[in-house]
């Protein structure tokens, strides 16, 4: 594999760096770098700036705002964004529902939803997981029964990330309960979360935050023309979406930043006669993590280079599996550097620095990375069956 950048790619990278570092407000980027929570306004502001520069949805078809970039340019777009600590375009819009509508939706749905989705004039949330259908998503029980020109939706979704900010939800529903295979009776519906019968209830997480929600549907009437593609073909669209999600959540650039922050704090932490960063055991741990991250980055480049025709690439499971593990390893590194200073949380006027107090909640929050987007166990099964042929 060619690792050096061509002169054109260098110019492309430098232009991205300029936009990311001068157009996105510095206070927003600083909050991202230090693991602070972003407000809804922060996320919308950054997304809209990226969209104004044609950088929000480059992976979409060109006619809907995408870019005719090379695989290397697509990699640089995301990697440099993460390295600059720029909030990435809202994944529910840019990586999930947008590509599904663009590839499988009717022309009417594309015209209606793709422009506001790209601009984040509609904030989407994902209605997939249910209390008894998480990693085994095909077991979902939320139903949609056709009634004239509408579907009547009943059921429950859970772990719905940022639903408290959302305007619309893209939802997997069961439209044929008698299908011979459970995957065969699922459809993909779009509807307003303010529709009568929709209730959103927050879930307090182990880190103390309210990032996810329960969503309940009670006789929610959804216009039938908000069905994406064909009825009972939703599982095909969901696999396409999850392939995009798994590739997008690899997080190589984000993990690089976390390791860089960890090294910065390790250089300020006393250990023996020197600093923790100078400790050979700690330095070896950091070097091993950086080498594993480099191997993942090269794998990601191969996957991106070989993806075509909108087909899910099973190698995205490798990226999701290893990427989530390395993200967790980076948060563990910061937690270990913080030591006892990680125990207080949101405490004022004490010696424990703010970054150390945030390291504990961040460590706890990142336990989710090996679960969402398909758990590590599910990814290993996919790898075994579709890549290794076991």
């Amino acid at each position: 594999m060619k690792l050096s950048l061509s002169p054109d790619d260098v110019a492309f990278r430098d232009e991205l760096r300029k936009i990311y570092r001068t157009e996105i407000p510095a206070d927003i980027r600083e909050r991202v770098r230090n693991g602070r929570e972003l407000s809804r306004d922060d996320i919308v502001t950054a997304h809209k700036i990226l969209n104004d520069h044609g950088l929000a949805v480059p992976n979409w078809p060109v006619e809907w705002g995408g870019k005719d970039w090379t695989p290397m340019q697509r990699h640089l777009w995301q990697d440099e964004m993460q390295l600059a600590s720029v909030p990435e375009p809202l994944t529910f819009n840019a990586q999930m529902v947008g590509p599904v509508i663009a590839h499988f939706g009717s022309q009417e749905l594309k015209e209606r939803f793709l422009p506001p989705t790209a601009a984040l004039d509609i904030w989407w949330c994902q209605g997939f997981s249910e209390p008894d259908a998480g990693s085994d998503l095909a077991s979902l029980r939320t139903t949609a029964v056709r009634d004239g020109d509408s579907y009547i939706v009943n059921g429950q979704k859970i772990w719905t990330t940022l639903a408290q900010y959302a305007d619309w939800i893209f939802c997997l529903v069961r439209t044929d309960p008698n299908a011979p295979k459970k995957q065969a009776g699922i459809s993909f519906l779009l509807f307003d979360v303010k529709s009568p019968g929709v209730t959103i209830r927050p879930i307090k997480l182990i880190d103390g935050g309210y990032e996810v929600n329960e969503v309940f549907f009670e006789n929610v009437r959804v216009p039938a023309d908000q069905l994406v593609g064909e009825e009972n073909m939703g599982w095909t669209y969901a696999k396409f979406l999850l392939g995009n999600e798994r590739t997008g959540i690899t997080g190589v650039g984000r993990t690089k930043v976390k390791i860089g922050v960890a090294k910065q704090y390790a250089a300020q932490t006393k250990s023996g006669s020197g600093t923790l960063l100078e400790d050979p055991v700690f330095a070896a741990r950091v070097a091993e993590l950086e080498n594993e991250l480099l191997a993942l980055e090269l794998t990601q480049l191969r996957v991106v280079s070989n993806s075509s025709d909108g087909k899910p690439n099973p190698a995205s499971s490798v990226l999701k599996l290893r990427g989530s593990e390395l993200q967790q390893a980076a948060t563990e590194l910061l937690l270990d550097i913080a030591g006892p200073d990680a125990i207080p949380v949101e405490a004022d006027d004490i010696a424990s620095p703010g970054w150390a107090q945030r390291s504990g909640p961040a460590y706890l929050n990142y336990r989710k990375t090996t679960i969402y987007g398909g758990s590590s166990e599910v990814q290993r099964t996919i790898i075994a069956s579709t890549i290794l042929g076991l």
Side-chain angles (χ1 to χ4, degrees):
M1 176 182 291
K2 182 179 179 182
L3 297 179
S4 60
L5 295 179
S6 68
D8 286 344
D9 286 337
V10 170
F12 179 82
R13 180 201 64 190
D14 291 346
E15 179 62 21
L16 289 175
R17 287 181 175 178
K18 179 182 177 182
I19 293 171
Y20 292 154
R21 289 168 169 78
T22 61
E23 298 296 329
I24 306 299
D27 61 320
I28 293 178
R29 294 194 297 111
E30 189 64 18
R31 282 196 284 278
V32 173
R33 183 177 183 274
N34 289 305
R36 294 181 181 274
E37 184 177 357
L38 296 180
S39 68
R40 188 186 197 278
D41 287 345
D42 289 337
I43 295 169
V44 171
T45 295
H47 184 114
K48 284 187 171 293
I49 292 171
L50 292 173
N51 191 57
D52 290 343
H53 287 82
L55 298 174
V57 293
N59 295 323
W60 289 15
V62 172
E63 62 266 35
W64 297 108
K67 298 291 187 180
D68 188 19
W69 285 345
T70 66
M72 178 58 75
Q73 288 174 322
R74 294 182 189 280
H75 171 73
L76 290 170
W77 162 77
Q78 185 172 54
D79 197 50
E80 290 296 332
M81 187 186 306
Q82 293 178 358
L83 291 172
S85 297
V86 171
E88 294 178 59
L90 186 67
T91 187
F92 314 112
N93 289 40
Q95 298 287 352
M96 295 183 180
V97 73
V100 169
I101 295 173
H103 281 86
F104 304 109
S106 65
Q107 185 65 21
E108 181 183 355
L109 281 183
K110 292 175 185 178
E111 293 175 357
R112 178 181 175 186
F113 287 111
L114 289 180
T117 296
L120 197 47
D121 292 330
I122 295 176
W123 183 304
W124 291 91
C125 63
Q126 180 185 21
F128 277 26
S129 294
E130 298 184 5
D132 296 313
S135 294
D136 182 18
L137 183 58
S139 295
L140 65 89
R141 295 184 295 182
T142 294
T143 60
V145 178
R146 187 66 183 260
D147 179 36
D149 293 332
S150 301
Y151 288 96
I152 306 300
V153 179
N154 283 280
Q156 178 188 357
K157 299 295 179 178
I158 200 166
W159 314 124
T160 309
T161 304
L162 301 183
Q164 69 269 29
Y165 295 156
D167 303 303
W168 281 66
I169 187 169
F170 53 95
C171 201
L172 289 183
V173 294
R174 188 162 300 283
T175 42
D176 183 2
N178 300 315
K181 292 179 60 178
K182 58 187 180 182
Q183 292 89 344
I186 295 172
S187 297
F188 198 108
L189 276 182
L190 313 174
F191 54 97
D192 192 325
V193 297
K194 298 177 183 63
S195 301
V198 178
T199 301
I200 298 173
R201 188 165 69 193
I203 301 172
K204 186 174 183 178
L205 294 178
I206 193 172
D207 67 350
Y210 293 93
E211 186 180 13
V212 298
N213 303 266
E214 295 176 286
V215 185
F216 300 89
F217 311 119
E218 184 176 358
N219 295 322
V220 180
R221 185 169 289 274
V222 178
D225 61 5
Q226 290 167 199
L227 172 76
V228 175
E230 300 177 33
E231 191 174 271
N232 300 322
M233 287 294 291
W235 189 250
T236 297
Y237 313 148
K239 288 193 297 182
F240 173 84
L241 181 152
L242 290 170
N244 287 335
E245 180 187 11
R246 287 165 187 163
T247 302
I249 62 179
T250 304
V252 170
R254 289 193 299 271
T255 305
K256 286 181 181 178
V257 170
K258 281 187 171 58
I259 295 173
V261 170
K263 291 166 70 174
Q264 172 189 335
Y265 291 130
Q268 302 169 5
T269 302
K270 296 296 183 182
S271 177
S273 59
T275 67
L276 184 58
L277 189 61
E278 296 168 332
D279 179 87
V281 174
F282 180 86
R285 177 183 175 187
V286 173
E288 181 178 4
L289 183 54
E290 289 177 324
N291 284 336
E292 290 176 350
L293 190 60
L294 176 60
L296 178 65
E297 183 174 19
L298 297 178
T299 303
Q300 183 180 38
L301 284 171
R302 287 198 298 272
V303 171
V304 171
S305 298
N306 294 326
S307 297
S308 61
D309 301 326
K311 296 178 180 178
N313 189 326
S316 65
S317 290
V318 176
L319 299 178
K320 198 280 174 181
L321 174 66
R322 196 69 186 120
S324 58
E325 291 173 344
L326 293 181
Q327 289 178 53
Q328 289 181 343
T331 64
E332 291 168 9
L333 192 66
L334 271 166
L335 183 67
D336 288 347
I337 296 168
D341 282 337
I343 296 175
V345 176
E346 297 182 353
D348 297 325
D349 301 322
I350 64 172
S352 175
W355 71 265
Q357 294 186 40
R358 290 190 297 274
S359 66
Y363 167 83
L364 293 171
N365 184 274
Y366 269 73
R367 301 306 93 193
K368 69 188 180 187
T369 63
T370 47
I371 300 173
Y372 68 61
S375 68
S376 293
E377 291 77 11
V378 168
Q379 304 314 316
R380 291 188 180 98
T381 299
I382 294 172
I383 293 165
S385 62
T386 62
I387 298 178
L388 302 179
L390 299 178

